[in-house]
Structures are given as C-alpha cells and as structure tokens.
Amino acid sequence: MKSTEISVNSATCYKNNNLIFSDVSISYNDGDIGIIMGPNGCGKTTLIRSICGIQALDEGQILLDKIDIKNHNNNYMDKIIYIGHKNSLNNDFSVYENLEYLSAFDSSSKINKINEAMKYFDIYKYRNYMVSEISEGNKKKVSLARLLISQKKVWILDEPLSYLDDTAVNIFTNLVLNHQKKGGITIASTHYDFSKNINNVKYLNMDPGR
Amino acid sequence: MKSTEISVNSATCYKNNNLIFSDVSISYNDGDIGIIMGPNGCGKTTLIRSICGIQALDEGQILLDKIDIKNHNNNYMDKIIYIGHKNSLNNDFSVYENLEYLSAFDSSSKINKINEAMKYFDIYKYRNYMVSEISEGNKKKVSLARLLISQKKVWILDEPLSYLDDTAVNIFTNLVLNHQKKGGITIASTHYDFSKNINNVKYLNMDPGR
Amino acid sequence: MINMLVKKELALYFRNLNNIFLPLVFFFLIISIFPLVLGPEKNLFDKIIPGIIWITAILTTILTSNNFFKDDFNNGIIEIYLTSDMSVELVLFLKIISCWFFTCFPILIFIPLVSLLFSIPFQNSMVILLTLFIGTPVLISIGIFGSALTLGLAKNNILTPVIIIPFYIPVLIFSASAIEAVSTGLPFEMQIYILAALLILVLPIMPYLLKYTLGLSINN
Amino acid sequence: MINMLVKKELALYFRNLNNIFLPLVFFFLIISIFPLVLGPEKNLFDKIIPGIIWITAILTTILTSNNFFKDDFNNGIIEIYLTSDMSVELVLFLKIISCWFFTCFPILIFIPLVSLLFSIPFQNSMVILLTLFIGTPVLISIGIFGSALTLGLAKNNILTPVIIIPFYIPVLIFSASAIEAVSTGLPFEMQIYILAALLILVLPIMPYLLKYTLGLSINN
Amino acid sequence: MNISKIANLKFFYTNTRKISYYMSFFVMILFIIGIYWGLFIAPEDYLQGDSYRIMYMHVPAAWLSLQTYMVMAITGFIALVWKIKIMEIISIQCAPIGALFTIIALVTGMVWGKPTWGTYWVWDARLTSELILLFLYIGVMVLYASINDKRQAVKITSLLAIIGLINIPIIHYSVEWWNTLHQGPTVTKFDKPSAHTTMLYPLLYMFIVFNIYFITVIIKRVRLGIYAREKNSKWMEEYTDD
Ligand code: HEM
Ligand SMILES: Nc1ncnc2c1ncn2[C@@H]1O[C@H](COP(=O)(O)OP(=O)(O)OP(=O)(O)O)[C@@H](O)[C@H]1O
Ligand SMILES: Nc1ncnc2c1ncn2[C@@H]1O[C@H](COP(=O)(O)OP(=O)(O)OP(=O)(O)O)[C@@H](O)[C@H]1O
Ligand SMILES: [Mg+2]
Ligand SMILES: [Mg+2]
C-alpha cells in the first residue's frame, strides 16, 4: 500500500475579517492519530473543514502527498472520509437506507459491510427505524458506522464522541486503534482525549485566535 | 423560600408501540442534584421531556409539590427551566438578542443579568456575533447562560456538557454547585459524570428498555 | 417582557429593510406574469385584474406561511414555546400579526396605485382593498396553522398548501362575491360583514389552536 | 453506486405513494380557485384556461423548489456532496430530474383530461402539453439554482421566488407565444425549438453550476 | 353495559365479526331493492324524463358525503378531548368512505349535468365546494399516511377534520347564497318538500340504505384499523389463534 502524507502548511484563516488561526503547520503520515484540541471557538472545526477542502484558506496550503489539494482535480477525496459535527443523516430515510445512501457518495465503500458496521456500533436493532426515531447518541453512531463501510485511509472527524455513551466511546477507540494498525490516518478534534494510552498520537493544540 | 419537590411516579412511556421505559420513580427535593445516566437510547431525553410536560406519559405522573403537572393549569413551569439537546437559538439573532428573546419566555428572568451571564461563560466577546458565526461549543454556552439569567429553582438539562471544553465544564459544575447551595434542584442527563465530588447527588440509572 | 417579544419579533423582519420591499416586488412580479401568460388582450385583462390581485395575495400567503415553524422546530425553539411560563399565545399571536404585517400589508398599501395603473374604478378598488385587508390575516392564520400541523413531517413543500387551500375557500368565496357585487352595483356589505366575522372568529382562537397543535406535533 | 443513488433518490418520493397524487391535487385546487375568484363566467374562463394551467405549473415549480436544499444543509448532507469523491454532479442532476418527475410530470399526464374537461381543442392541448413538458424542467432547474444561491440565508420564503421569477420570463414568453400561435392557427414550431434549445442549454450545465454554488454558499 | 366497555377495542373487535358479515349481505339486498324501485317503479319526471333517476344515487351520495365528514369531525373531537381510542379509529376510517361518497356525488352529478345543463361541469359554488370537500378528505388521508406514529397521526388529522367543519355549511347553503345552476333544496325544505311523494319515498329509502351501507363499511374498516393497531397485543394474538 502506498504511503500517504497529509500536511497543513502554515495555514491561516480569516472569517469576516477576524483571524481564526494563523500559521498552523502539521503533517500526518501512515499510522498517525492526530488529535486536535483547544478551547471552544479556537478554530478546530474550521481547520478540519479546510483540510477537507470545504473551507478556503487565506494563506498556506493543505498538501496531500506533497501536492496542494487545489491541484488534485477534485479527486483528492478518494483517500479521505470526513464526518462533521452534523450527522449528515436524512430524516426521511431509515438508518439502513441512510447508510446505503451515504455509501453511494464514497467510491471505496462496500455496501455489503453495512450490516456488519451497524452491529459493530450496536445499532443493528434500529436498522429499520427512521432517523428521527432514534436517540441523539445513536444518530452519532450511525454516522460513525460509515467508517466501517468506507475503505478510505484518512479519517477526518470533528468531535466524533459527542453524545456517545462510555461503551460507544470504547468501541470507537478500538476502531481507531485498528485503523492505526492497518496504517490508516485518523485526524479528530475532541475535547475528551480518548487516546490516552495510544502511541503515535500527534497533538495539535490550537490557541484561541485572539 | 418554600421547599419544592418534583417527583416522577412510576412513569411508563411508549413510542410507536415500543416500550421506552417503564415504572420509573424518583423524587427530587431542595438541594438535590439529579443525574440521569444510561446508555444511548435508554430514554433519558424522553424522561426529561416528560418531566417538562412536552412528552405525554402513558402511565404514571409527574408531580410538582404533590400535584400532577397536568392539573397545574400550565403554570407549573414557573419553577422550572428546561434546556434541551438543541440550543434553542435563533440563527437570525445575535448572541445577545437571543438571550434577550429567550428571557422573554421566562417570567423569572432578569434582563440586566444577560451581560453578567455572558461574562460568566466567557462568551461576552461574541455578544454581537450572529449565532451562525460562533462555534458549536459556544452555542451550548449561550444556551447554558440562560441559567444565570433565569431565577428558577428547578433546572432540567439534557446533556448540558456536549461540545464544551474543560474550562467550560468546570464553570458549569461550579454553577450547579452554587445552585445547590442556594437550595436549587438540578436534574441533568449526562454521559460524563461532572458530579464526582459533590454531595446529595441522586443517580438514576436507566436500563435499556428492550 | 411583552415589549421585548414585540421588539424581537419585529427585529426579525426589520433586520433587513429590504425584506419589506420583497413582498411588493413579488406582487408586481406575479402580476406581470399574468399578461405574459394569458396574452396581452386589454379587455380580458381589465376584467380579471381584481381576481389576479387576489390570486397574488393568496400566493403570497401560501408562500410565506409554508414551513413557518420549520426553523423554530429544528432549532428547538418550539420547545421553548411549550415550556414557557409566559403567555405563549401572545407570542404566537404576534408572530401571525407580524408575518401578516410584513408580507401582506405592504401589498395593501400599493393597491390604490395598482388600481390606478389598471384603471379600476375607485369604489371597486376600495372594496378589493377591504376584502384583502380583512381576508389576508385569515389566510395567513390558516397557513400558519397548516404549517404547525405538518411540523414534524418529511419535507414536502406541497403537502401544506394542499391541506390548507380548502380552508381558504370561504374567504375567497365571500371576497369574490363582494367584489362581484360592487362591480355590478349591488350591495356588498353583507359579504364584508361575513368576512369580518370570520376574522373575528379566527384571530383570537388561532393562538390557542396553534399552541395546542404545536404540542401535538412535537409530542413525538 | 449510481443505481443506489437513483434508488434512494426515488425512494424519497416513493416512500409515500400519496406524494405522487399531491401535485395533482394541488393542481386541481389551484385551478378551482381561479373560477371562484374570477367569477364563473364560462367564456372568460375558457379563454384563459391555458394561461391558468401554465400559472399553476409555475406555482408548483416555485413551491417545490423553494428551500430545496434547506434540509440537506441543516443535516450536513451538503458537506457530503462537497466532500464526495463520486460525481456529485450526477446526484444533483438526479435530484433535479426526480423533483421534476414527481411534481410536474403527474400534472402533465392529466393535461389531456383537463383539456377535455375545459373543452380545449386537441391540437392546442398538445401544444400546451409540449410547452409544459419542455418548459417545466427549465423552471425547476432555475428554482433549484435559486435555492442553492440563498442557502445559508435567514428564513425568507419570498426571497428565492423574487430572485428566480425574472429568469422564468424567457420560458414563459416562448411558451405563451406558442400557445397563442396554435390557437390562432399560426405556426408554433419556432417557439418550441427555442424552448427546447433553452432546455438543452440549461439541463447539462445546471449540475455543475449547482455544485459550484453550493460550495460558495457553504464556505462560510 | 357502560360506554367504556363498548368503546373498548377488544370488545368491539370480538363482537362485531358476525354482525359485519351479515350486514354486508343485508345491505346488498337493500341496494338491489332500491335500484329496482328507483329505476322501474318511480314515475318519470315530466321535465327531465328518465335522466332524473340518477338522483337516487346522486342525492344520497351527496348527503352522505357531508354527513360522513361530520361523523369524522365529531368522533375526532371526542377522540381528542376524551381520549377514547375507538373514536380515533372511527374518525380516520371515515375519510376514505367519505371520499368515496364525494366521488360518487361528483360523478353522478356530472353525468346528470350533461343532459340537464348541457355541460359536465360548471364552476359554481356548490360544485366547486363539493370538489373541495373531496380535497379535504384527501388532505386528511395524505396527512395520516405521512405520519409514522399512527396514534400521533390520528390526533393531528382529527384536529384537521374539526377545523374543516367550517366548510360544511358553505357547501350546504351555497345554492341559497348564490344563484347557481344547481338545484336548490327540494327535499330538505322544512315546510313541504317540493318533490312528489312517489319520487320522494324511493329517495328517502335510498338515503337510509346509504346510511346502512356507511355503517357496514365503517364497522369493517374499524375492525381492520383495530387489527392494525393491536396486532401485537396479547388479546389479539389469543383471539386470532382461536
Ligand atoms: C358535478 C355536479 C354536481 C355536484 C358536485 C353536486 C353536488 C351536490 C351536493 C353536495 C348536494 C347535497 C347538498 C346538501 O344536502 O346540502 C346535492 C344535492 C342535490 N343535487 Fe347535486 N350536484 C351536481 C349536479 C347535479 C345535477 C346536474 C342535478 C340536477 C339537475 C342535481 C340535483 C340535486 C338535487 C335535486 C339535490 C338535492 C337537493 C336537496 O334537497 O337538498 N345535482 N348535489
Ligand atoms: N462568519 C463568521 N464571522 C466571524 N467569525 C466566525 C464566523 N464563523 C466562525 N467564526 C469564528 O470562528 C471561530 C472558530 O470556529 P470553529 O467552529 O472552528 O471553532 P471550534 O474550535 O470548532 O470550536 P468548538 O470546540 O466549540 O466546536 C469561532 O470563534 C467563531 O466565532
Ligand atoms: N417515534 C419513535 N418510534 C419508536 N421509537 C422511538 C421513537 N422516538 C424515539 N424512540 C426511541 O426511544 C428511545 C429513547 O430515546 P431518547 O432520545 O430518550 O434516548 P436517550 O436516552 O436520550 O439517548 P441518548 O443518550 O442517545 O441521547 C430510543 O431508543 C429511540 O429509538
Ligand atoms: Mg467545532
Ligand atoms: Mg438524549
């Protein structure tokens, strides 16, 4: 498997003329777990979104394998899966259908892994529930289940632990560990450090911008 | 100050013909901190909503000072403030305006405490930001700031800690402690037990309904 | 408290002063679509212009009241309504009134001008104005009620209109009949009274009905 | 993957089979409002019925495309579109087509029946059908584009219609002109060709335009 | 026997199976008699000839379309206020039946309109409002179908039905309030019906038959509704095992 490097190169971002963060640099390689921490409002979400190309940077670049993602012809996402704050679930679909739908946006995903993924996160019993009929924590689990369906190497997660109960946090931590073992990269923002006894963790502590 | 008692009396709730929880009983008195814990999907939110009268129970009652809240002529909420999963913030308002607006729904609130409340949660600098321009954690702080503006005795909070950074969790814990000292009641669902070294905590552990 | 609510409710609309002109622009856009589509025959157009004005008003009410509570629902503000110890009925009343004031009222002001443009006789134009003045608050109320009924449902922009338009019929029938009467020289007071009675019936009940409906819709 | 998307996109509409009847009911409701408001004069009504059919189609497109991406925006699905490594343009194309198919197409099927009811001559009714068939996809596309433009904005149900209606005008002009032509016995092919050219121009570009617009609206 | 017992779902379900079965036959026979009476025994109308005989379908269907709506709204009201389960089911089951009556009234009216008015359809107040009544029923049904939780759904549709009651007087009095093509009250006038008794009796008879038909169908549908709601409950499993 080809090795992958994703790096943030002296990134600076303004919003509405306010500096959000400046000169942030970090790079992640195979097997890295990147934890982005920092107080509320320091720009974790903004940084994560710019790594995924949703948010434009004012200065600096995001490089995937040394090439600016802007020059990747829009297919740099074939190595990256992004799971944001919001669950990206469609209320008009059942849990199962949502996972089907979301998989269709991911070239690497394996539809036949959906059931397995649901079982892994212990939400199989809700498979035919409408999303609006399951609890907040279970919604988060559904969106995390995408990690098991997708075969991508780089996981970019924005506060993946919110609303999860302790069991689910452990399940998730194990999942990240397994991913690491396979050489995958995980980049996650979080307030609760799930990585206490994990190796190869790269912390990025963001100071409040102002 | 008259003492207050709020109690759940063998409450049972079904949704769509599925049992969510059954025969839950607990009661809270002045100075109590009630922590509702349990795995995702066990019905914490549902219970909390039924205590606030938003969710109808199929069996059992919620009693405020020994009187069923259904017989309180709709003004039983004059002792209770409820802050749910969702932040109840209007995206078209600034932070300050939102707090003004929300205070108007609360007979006990003191408008002149809004600035103080924002300072307490360290969001004063965002006072003129639109809600859509602040980070997720800061939105949560805005909705928690209502606790300082309102003068109500019973706080009912659904996962108040989500998205908060450590500083904010401490601020919140102190707030609850202060409230307890003044004889207030706090009922909160949470996955992260902020009440480790607090007295008078009443735990309600909800088993998964099925 | 109450002035705070009024202030905030108005602020929502006043935030962007353009918003006040939007209904007007919309009104003129729709009116100018008709001759495009129906053909520019002058006689025909003159005949149906009162009807077209009414149709346009109906559209405005359908559009503005569609998904009226959707944002409040998504943001959890409906829960604030239902757990408030203040008079939420008042808030809901305010919401109806301000929705009407900022979407229908601007149109009403321009009716005399429109009448002049399309050479509608003065008395007729006054009756049109009157029926709109009494009728549109009822329509807005009905529309808002419809959006409360369909609150928790999957997105369906046509469902609410389909549910509420049948309730528009009484208002439309009496308004049209009043306009018809005045243009043929018959007395039209009766119809206006009936419209007014509808308004007096609907407006005070609506806030209570809305609160009840929101409670039903959210208790899910 | 692609069939999955098609399947899911259709499932959204097929979930509730009633939804397919809704546009139809809406169509008849709007049509029946006109005689109520304009008065039941038969001659008048016969004259304007093609126009009314078109107006109703316009309304349907405005209503269904209003806030088209709002739910996807709130739920974060727009972010999925923008971070997908699949052809999102295809998804957007599908969304346009299925929106059209489930809101305009049911109406089109019933045009012959409606024509019968209102005794519109066969050839005229075929031209109406044709203009609608070519025109409504364009209108839906424009509407959806408008809702992408106004995605992150405060709730304003009238803003998007005001923005998009001016773009409706070309379609309306040529359609009306074709209908006018056929009812006066003149050739109408030219107008149909122009309409078809519009369609061929708009439909393939729209998905790209939409993706770009969504990216702009969300980079906030 | 008190009301709560009759209103009990189990009581209703277990006690109406036979009744519903026999009533279906009964109503069929009544219909055949009525059709024979209306088509062959009743005299020819001096103005309209034989075409008026469609009245024996049209008028009862039109009446029932209004009546069913009222039943739907009233039972809905009872369901909302007193939370009686069976009323919820009756209320929602009225909608498709009412829609059927409305469609019959519309179609027979159109068929009747062609020979008498020379056109199938005119946009007068009564015809339009009857069409709107159909849309009201459809609105109720669509809303019901759109809500997943059916207990919730009935509450919401009941509310809709109650508010919709306001249209009923409009439909009924529209002919008096506007000069329209449609026939004014001929039968329902208080003093003296203006129709001849030999024509009137079969009409009244048909009205009663339509009512019995309504009751038969509503019982059948309510049974289905109860089954759908209670199919997982203990008593239903026991009952269907027998
Ligand atoms: C599509 C066309 C028609 C519709 C929708 C329609 C609708 C109705 C409705 C709703 C009623 C019940 C009114 C009430 O009880 O308040 C009714 C009654 C009646 N209709 Fe029609 N009708 C139609 C055509 C006709 C025609 C063509 C005739 C005969 C010329 C006719 C004759 C009657 C009569 C005699 C009654 C009974 C009036 C009474 O005594 O209350 N209808 N129709
Ligand atoms: N449109 C805007 N105008 C001005 N400032 C903005 C705008 N959008 C976001 N910001 C600011 O950008 C900062 C970073 O926001 P971001 O959501 O990235 O924070 P975060 O680190 O993810 O916080 P949290 O832990 O609360 O999720 C915040 O302080 C926010 O106020
Ligand atoms: N309409 C519905 N139909 C069926 N089940 C439902 C419905 N709505 C909610 N539920 C179920 O009710 C249960 C309780 O949900 P609730 O939101 O109260 O859980 P919770 O304890 O707050 O979980 P979390 O920790 O994830 O927030 C869930 O298992 C959910 O699936
Ligand atoms: Mg964040
Ligand atoms: Mg919860």
Side-chain angles (χ1 to χ4, degrees), chain B residues 86-120:
Chain B
K86 294 168 177 171
N87 293 318
S88 309
L89 302 178
N90 191 328
N91 284 323
D92 305 347
F93 282 144
S94 72
V95 168
Y96 183 80
E97 285 174 315
N98 258 297
L99 288 175
E100 271 188 326
Y101 185 63
L102 290 173
S103 311
F105 286 93
D106 181 341
S107 62
S108 71
S109 64
K110 300 201 171 139
I111 301 278
N112 55 4
K113 292 216 168 180
I114 293 183
N115 283 331
E116 200 184 306
M118 287 194 291
K119 280 174 193 152
Y120 192 89

XYZ file of all heavy atoms in Angstrom, chain B residues 86-120:
286
model
N -31.126 20.513 21.850
C -30.971 21.588 20.884
C -30.777 22.890 21.635
O -31.272 23.067 22.730
C -32.221 21.659 20.015
C -32.411 20.438 19.143
C -33.798 20.461 18.541
C -34.020 19.294 17.592
N -35.447 19.241 17.189
N -30.094 23.817 21.006
C -29.714 25.025 21.726
C -30.814 26.065 21.812
O -30.676 27.037 22.525
C -28.501 25.649 21.054
C -27.281 24.779 21.205
O -27.055 24.239 22.283
N -26.518 24.605 20.148
N -31.887 25.875 21.075
C -32.984 26.844 21.085
C -32.530 28.242 20.697
O -33.050 29.222 21.215
C -33.665 26.923 22.449
O -34.014 25.660 22.894
N -31.552 28.319 19.817
C -31.092 29.636 19.397
C -31.598 29.928 17.991
O -31.671 29.039 17.147
C -29.565 29.693 19.424
C -28.934 29.379 20.785
C -27.428 29.404 20.688
C -29.423 30.341 21.848
N -31.954 31.181 17.810
C -32.446 31.610 16.512
C -31.282 32.150 15.692
O -30.631 33.115 16.082
C -33.499 32.692 16.732
C -34.247 33.021 15.481
O -33.692 32.938 14.393
N -35.508 33.378 15.616
N -31.029 31.542 14.554
C -29.876 31.923 13.741
C -29.940 33.347 13.224
O -28.942 33.893 12.811
C -29.743 30.982 12.542
C -29.172 29.662 12.946
O -28.298 29.598 13.805
N -29.666 28.596 12.354
N -31.111 33.925 13.230
C -31.238 35.276 12.707
C -30.946 36.339 13.759
O -30.981 37.531 13.463
C -32.648 35.511 12.149
C -33.010 34.476 11.127
O -32.102 33.756 10.690
O -34.189 34.380 10.771
N -30.686 35.891 14.982
C -30.377 36.841 16.058
C -28.907 36.747 16.444
O -28.279 35.700 16.285
C -31.199 36.515 17.304
C -32.627 36.959 17.255
C -33.615 36.178 17.831
C -32.991 38.158 16.674
C -34.934 36.572 17.810
C -34.312 38.566 16.653
C -35.286 37.766 17.225
N -28.414 37.828 17.027
C -27.083 37.769 17.618
C -27.180 37.043 18.958
O -28.270 36.764 19.457
C -26.543 39.176 17.818
O -27.235 39.798 18.877
N -26.011 36.756 19.533
C -25.982 36.078 20.822
C -26.781 36.859 21.856
O -27.643 36.312 22.557
C -24.516 35.910 21.285
C -24.458 35.476 22.725
C -23.811 34.920 20.392
N -26.502 38.154 21.924
C -27.183 38.970 22.925
C -28.700 38.967 22.702
O -29.482 38.757 23.616
C -26.641 40.397 22.887
C -27.250 41.273 23.945
C -26.792 41.223 25.254
C -28.301 42.134 23.647
C -27.373 42.006 26.240
C -28.883 42.912 24.617
C -28.412 42.849 25.920
O -29.001 43.610 26.890
N -29.071 39.168 21.454
C -30.508 39.202 21.145
C -31.186 37.887 21.479
O -32.318 37.852 21.958
C -30.706 39.504 19.658
C -30.456 40.939 19.279
C -30.524 41.121 17.773
O -29.944 40.286 17.040
O -31.163 42.073 17.332
N -30.476 36.794 21.225
C -31.050 35.509 21.556
C -31.342 35.400 23.040
O -32.402 34.913 23.438
C -30.093 34.389 21.147
C -30.520 33.734 19.866
O -31.587 33.140 19.818
N -29.720 33.857 18.831
N -30.387 35.846 23.831
C -30.608 35.749 25.278
C -31.755 36.651 25.711
O -32.567 36.282 26.564
C -29.322 36.078 26.027
C -28.261 34.973 25.899
C -26.965 35.378 26.555
C -28.772 33.671 26.510
N -31.832 37.815 25.086
C -32.987 38.684 25.360
C -34.291 37.978 25.018
O -35.242 37.956 25.804
C -32.880 39.955 24.500
C -32.119 41.099 25.091
C -32.275 42.337 24.209
O -32.373 42.194 22.975
O -32.304 43.442 24.747
N -34.299 37.415 23.820
C -35.523 36.772 23.340
C -35.917 35.620 24.253
O -37.065 35.508 24.684
C -35.288 36.266 21.915
C -36.494 35.685 21.221
C -37.599 36.476 20.963
C -36.521 34.365 20.826
C -38.697 35.956 20.315
C -37.612 33.826 20.171
C -38.705 34.628 19.924
O -39.793 34.103 19.282
N -34.950 34.771 24.572
C -35.267 33.615 25.393
C -35.702 34.042 26.796
O -36.556 33.400 27.412
C -34.065 32.675 25.469
C -33.776 31.968 24.147
C -32.480 31.184 24.218
C -34.922 31.046 23.778
N -35.127 35.139 27.289
C -35.528 35.607 28.615
C -36.988 36.019 28.621
O -37.669 35.915 29.647
C -34.703 36.807 29.044
O -33.357 36.553 28.865
N -37.449 36.488 27.506
C -38.823 36.954 27.459
C -39.817 35.806 27.644
O -40.990 36.039 27.917
C -39.087 37.667 26.136
N -39.341 34.589 27.499
C -40.231 33.443 27.699
C -40.212 32.945 29.135
O -40.813 31.934 29.449
C -39.815 32.289 26.778
C -40.171 32.524 25.356
C -39.269 33.099 24.480
C -41.429 32.198 24.895
C -39.613 33.330 23.167
C -41.776 32.416 23.581
C -40.865 32.987 22.725
N -39.506 33.657 29.988
C -39.243 33.170 31.333
C -39.605 34.275 32.312
O -38.932 35.296 32.398
C -37.742 32.825 31.397
C -37.341 32.285 32.738
O -38.081 32.503 33.713
O -36.283 31.646 32.812
N -40.687 34.077 33.029
C -41.193 35.156 33.880
C -40.192 35.560 34.953
O -40.215 36.680 35.430
C -42.503 34.724 34.521
O -42.270 33.608 35.347
N -39.309 34.652 35.334
C -38.418 34.953 36.460
C -37.130 35.633 36.021
O -36.319 36.026 36.853
C -38.054 33.654 37.169
O -37.182 32.907 36.359
N -36.928 35.783 34.725
C -35.606 36.194 34.263
C -35.358 37.676 34.494
O -36.281 38.492 34.534
C -35.460 35.880 32.787
O -36.386 36.650 32.074
N -34.090 37.990 34.648
C -33.705 39.391 34.835
C -32.831 39.809 33.666
O -31.670 39.432 33.567
C -32.940 39.537 36.143
C -33.773 39.119 37.333
C -33.250 39.732 38.615
C -34.219 39.480 39.752
N -33.537 39.124 40.995
N -33.396 40.648 32.833
C -32.703 41.065 31.618
C -31.340 41.683 31.929
O -30.372 41.495 31.198
C -33.560 42.102 30.861
C -34.924 41.527 30.503
C -32.843 42.596 29.619
C -34.942 40.693 29.287
N -31.260 42.400 33.036
C -29.993 43.073 33.334
C -28.891 42.107 33.732
O -27.763 42.502 33.965
C -30.193 44.133 34.425
C -30.821 43.531 35.667
O -31.035 42.318 35.729
N -31.103 44.356 36.649
N -29.203 40.831 33.817
C -28.155 39.862 34.124
C -27.548 39.234 32.874
O -26.673 38.375 32.973
C -28.730 38.745 35.002
C -29.102 39.216 36.390
C -28.808 38.130 37.405
C -28.896 38.700 38.809
N -28.613 37.683 39.813
N -28.018 39.626 31.714
C -27.557 38.964 30.497
C -26.051 39.138 30.313
O -25.317 38.179 30.069
C -28.321 39.501 29.265
C -29.790 39.094 29.346
C -27.702 38.960 27.983
C -30.610 39.512 28.161
N -25.567 40.385 30.488
C -24.131 40.612 30.290
C -23.306 39.797 31.266
O -22.317 39.171 30.894
C -23.820 42.098 30.437
C -24.223 42.866 29.188
O -24.210 42.289 28.095
N -24.596 44.112 29.347
N -23.744 39.818 32.509
C -23.069 39.034 33.532
C -23.010 37.557 33.151
O -21.965 36.908 33.229
C -23.858 39.197 34.836
C -23.130 38.882 36.099
C -24.108 39.014 37.264
O -24.744 40.090 37.396
O -24.266 38.033 38.007
N -24.126 37.049 32.694
C -24.195 35.635 32.317
C -23.230 35.320 31.184
O -22.543 34.301 31.191
C -25.620 35.278 31.921
N -23.153 36.239 30.231
C -22.242 36.005 29.112
C -20.805 36.022 29.603
O -19.974 35.222 29.161
C -22.462 37.067 28.026
C -23.759 36.847 27.257
S -23.846 37.813 25.734
C -23.996 39.447 26.397
N -20.511 36.951 30.502
C -19.145 37.011 31.033
C -18.823 35.732 31.801
O -17.717 35.192 31.694
C -18.974 38.229 31.928
C -18.746 39.495 31.123
C -18.726 40.738 32.009
C -18.808 41.986 31.163
N -19.437 43.110 31.889
N -19.783 35.264 32.562
C -19.566 34.061 33.359
C -19.135 32.903 32.466
O -18.246 32.142 32.797
C -20.865 33.714 34.079
C -20.727 32.662 35.156
C -20.427 33.021 36.472
C -20.913 31.325 34.873
C -20.311 32.068 37.458
C -20.792 30.354 35.853
C -20.491 30.721 37.145
O -20.378 29.772 38.120
